[in-house]
Amino acid sequence: MPFVIAALVLVGTLCVLNLLLSVGVIKRLREHTELLSKPGRGKIMPSLGVGEEVGEFLTSTVDGGTLSRESLADDTVVGFFSPNCGPCREQLPRFVEYGGALPGGRGRVVAVVLSHDADEANALVADLAPVASVVVETSSGPLSKAFKIKAYPTVLRVAAREGRLVVTDEAVDLGQTATAVA
């Protein structure tokens, strides 16, 4: 009989300890959930957010032109693509269609191909060149730094606001017709 009582006391103590640990874990999870749900906390932004100013940059396009923050037209769409990225290959035809339908044509569309290998980039450049000013650079290139790009594909819309070039849409819906948006 004393063994049964000792076993019951041990099991009871373990159950109380388990209950206390569970309550502590649940409390900690709630705190983490609160922290992660706050805007800008715990989320990795793939690029600049709406209202943020685009950094300074100067780069060359594949057709020999130059591109700078000041040369971007108002309401320009800027897309960042990588040849090794599956979602980029899926979004590319929609971006080309969207860019081709924008009023203002190539002057309002910039495509950035991020690649270390020129041969890899050539296929994307060939698809993008008819509808966009195309820049080929590495992930540490001037446009990637100016737009703080961390994920691909990323499609942004920028416009001049109060003398600054800012992001006005951080996730352009390529499913919409460009003429309806413009």
Side-chain angles (χ1 to χ4, degrees), residues 5-84:
I5 293 173
L8 283 174
V9 169
L10 179 64
V11 169
T13 305
L14 288 175
C15 287
V16 170
L17 181 62
N18 186 30
L19 181 64
L20 290 173
L21 288 173
S22 295
V23 168
V25 167
I26 291 170
K27 182 180 176 187
R28 191 81 167 152
L29 283 173
R30 285 185 180 154
E31 290 172 4
H32 281 267
T33 302
E34 246 181 73
L35 286 173
L36 292 174
S37 66
K38 289 181 181 176
R41 301 279 300 181
K43 297 178 185 174
I44 297 175
M45 296 300 294
S47 65
L48 292 175
V50 172
E52 291 187 273
E53 185 174 2
V54 176
E56 288 287 336
F57 64 88
L58 180 63
T59 189
S60 298
T61 61
V62 293
D63 59 4
T66 58
L67 198 59
S68 68
R69 185 169 73 168
E70 292 76 25
S71 67
L72 292 183
D74 204 24
D75 201 31
T76 298
V77 175
V78 183
F80 292 84
F81 301 93
S82 173
N84 302 327

